[in-house]
Amino acid sequence: MLEFSFHWPPRMLFGPGSRKKIGSELKDTCHKALLVCAKGPFRENGLYEDVRVSLESAGIAVCSMGDVDQNPRLSSVREGAAVCKRDGVDVVVAIGGGSAMDCAKLIAVAALYDCDPYDFVWGARLPITRSLKTVLIPTIAATGTETNPSAVIVNDETREKYYCDCQHAWMVIFDPTVTQSAPPHLVIWGAMDILSHTFEYYFNGYEGSEFQSRFSEAIILSVMHALNTLRDTPGDLTALGELQWCATMAWGGLTKLGRMEPEMTCHWIEESFSGYFDTHHGACLGVMTPRWMRLVCQDRPSLFARFARNVMGILEQNDTLAAQQGVEAYIQWLKSIHAPNTFYDIGKRDFSDAEIEHVVSTAWRIYNGQIGKLRHMTYDDCVALLKSGREPI
């Protein structure tokens, strides 16, 4: 393993009904909360009300703002920060997936600074050293943003999507029951994000930590097991809880320890894609990742052969053949759980050549043409990868 320094500060509550404990957990330290809610069923299904009542019953006043889009907008960050400053908010509570949580984290930062939050993500990319407390209640297992110190935001004007480093959440509340209302396809789409994040360290080219490699394999196998269970028994609470914990393990910070930098090809290109098309982030990763695996598996066949044998159960002893067989077996598994196969499965619109090239140009500019670790991707490679998402795999 490589040298590392690690700090993981969020306090975590896990278990059915844990959302109703938020008031008792905050009553001695907080007085006024801003609720940041994702667009979706959360007001209608009672989740928003459960959190509001718990807070107010503990003597904590509640402020609100407009609900957050699936790709969180800079305008929402500005709106939330203004409410915090105006009303003296001391804790920001997010209800939703990565969109609400990322938005809440940056709101909690922007509330304590006089600058436009644009300057944290784009602009001068100002350093962040302080934040209001944040409490995050993930309603779907996906990004793992609940336990990492970053936020991804879309610029309303340019439709560019980029990240900044924030602060860790103060508390995370994992309540598997709140994920039961998510449609099955959204559960699958979220899990594609978990798998993508796990692959980013597993397939980064570093083979110097056996424990970390096995840790990644455990996450992948656990996600696959949970999705197989949910395919056969929709709404299974144990499987939903396992997915929540897998999301945190995948991108909360533990998988990176003692390893090199992650292989971010799919995420970096996809963020520009969903920022432009306003498509679901995890679903797009579900389309891109197996195509990327097919493209690069022969660049480091030993990595993909390990995946084939330890995850997909391939018996082939030749690494080159095993790598190919493992990727194809993974693709067949994706089909068995009805993962998104093309971009048309996630957005009924035209994904034209010109628009795809615009998306790649945006990602290419943001990352200075340095996309790909296992394989350095050329501009044409990136365009071809995205275009291939229009045809079934």
Side-chain angles (χ1 to χ4, degrees), residues 227-280:
L227 290 178
N228 288 341
T229 299
L230 291 165
R231 177 191 58 204
D232 301 331
T233 312
D236 184 272
L237 196 60
T238 299
L240 291 170
E242 290 278 345
L243 284 178
Q244 282 193 310
W245 195 240
C246 284
T248 291
M249 292 298 99
W251 204 241
L254 292 177
T255 55
K256 72 179 182 181
L257 301 181
R259 290 166 140 174
M260 297 188 301
E261 292 300 307
E263 163 52 86
M264 297 294 288
T265 295
C266 291
H267 248 87
W268 284 357
I269 299 173
E270 193 294 319
E271 285 175 353
S272 291
F273 186 92
S274 58
Y276 180 83
F277 288 111
D278 196 25
T279 43
H280 189 281

Side-chain angles (χ1 to χ4, degrees), residues 16 32 49 116 122 128 157 174 177 187 203 213 228 253 256 335 337 352-353 358 384 386 392:
K32 188 170 287 190
E49 190 68 4
D116 186 333
W122 298 277
I128 292 170
E157 296 178 0
F174 298 100
T177 61
V187 175
F203 289 131
S213 294
N228 288 341
K256 72 179 182 181
K335 292 179 179 180
I337 61 162
S352 69
D353 284 357
H358 173 79
L386 271 189

Side-chain angles (χ1 to χ4, degrees), residues 240-390:
L240 291 170
E242 290 278 345
L243 284 178
Q244 282 193 310
W245 195 240
C246 284
T248 291
M249 292 298 99
W251 204 241
L254 292 177
T255 55
K256 72 179 182 181
L257 301 181
R259 290 166 140 174
M260 297 188 301
E261 292 300 307
E263 163 52 86
M264 297 294 288
T265 295
C266 291
H267 248 87
W268 284 357
I269 299 173
E270 193 294 319
E271 285 175 353
S272 291
F273 186 92
S274 58
Y276 180 83
F277 288 111
D278 196 25
T279 43
H280 189 281
H281 174 62
C284 296
L285 289 170
V287 174
M288 290 182 61
T289 300
R291 290 166 169 81
W292 173 83
M293 294 170 78
R294 270 184 174 174
L295 179 67
V296 305
C297 68
Q298 294 309 314
D299 292 344
R300 285 291 294 275
S302 61
L303 289 175
F304 285 86
R306 176 179 179 133
F307 168 76
R309 295 170 187 136
N310 293 0
V311 176
M312 302 310 303
I314 301 298
L315 299 179
E316 172 62 51
Q317 294 302 302
N318 179 278
D319 280 0
T320 298
L321 294 177
Q324 294 172 334
Q325 292 174 21
V327 171
E328 296 309 311
Y330 178 69
I331 290 170
Q332 290 306 309
W333 173 76
L334 290 173
K335 292 179 179 180
S336 78
I337 61 162
H338 307 294
N341 193 293
T342 74
F343 292 135
Y344 299 109
D345 293 334
I346 58 179
K348 304 302 181 184
R349 57 157 299 164
D350 181 35
F351 300 92
S352 69
D353 284 357
E355 288 177 312
I356 284 175
E357 289 172 15
H358 173 79
V359 165
V360 172
S361 295
T362 300
W364 198 258
R365 173 172 48 79
I366 289 173
Y367 295 106
N368 299 311
Q370 300 302 308
I371 297 177
K373 183 175 178 63
L374 201 60
R375 170 190 288 195
H376 176 71
M377 300 284 284
T378 67
Y379 180 89
D380 289 341
D381 287 337
C382 296
V383 171
L385 179 63
L386 271 189
K387 287 182 177 180
S388 70
R390 298 180 300 192

Side-chain angles (χ1 to χ4, degrees), residues 195 198-199 214-228 246 307 309-313 333:
L195 289 167
T198 308
F199 290 148
R214 290 185 181 270
F215 181 32
S216 292
E217 289 164 359
I219 296 170
I220 298 164
L221 286 165
S222 296
V223 171
M224 294 175 70
H225 180 268
L227 290 178
N228 288 341
C246 284
F307 168 76
R309 295 170 187 136
N310 293 0
V311 176
M312 302 310 303
W333 173 76

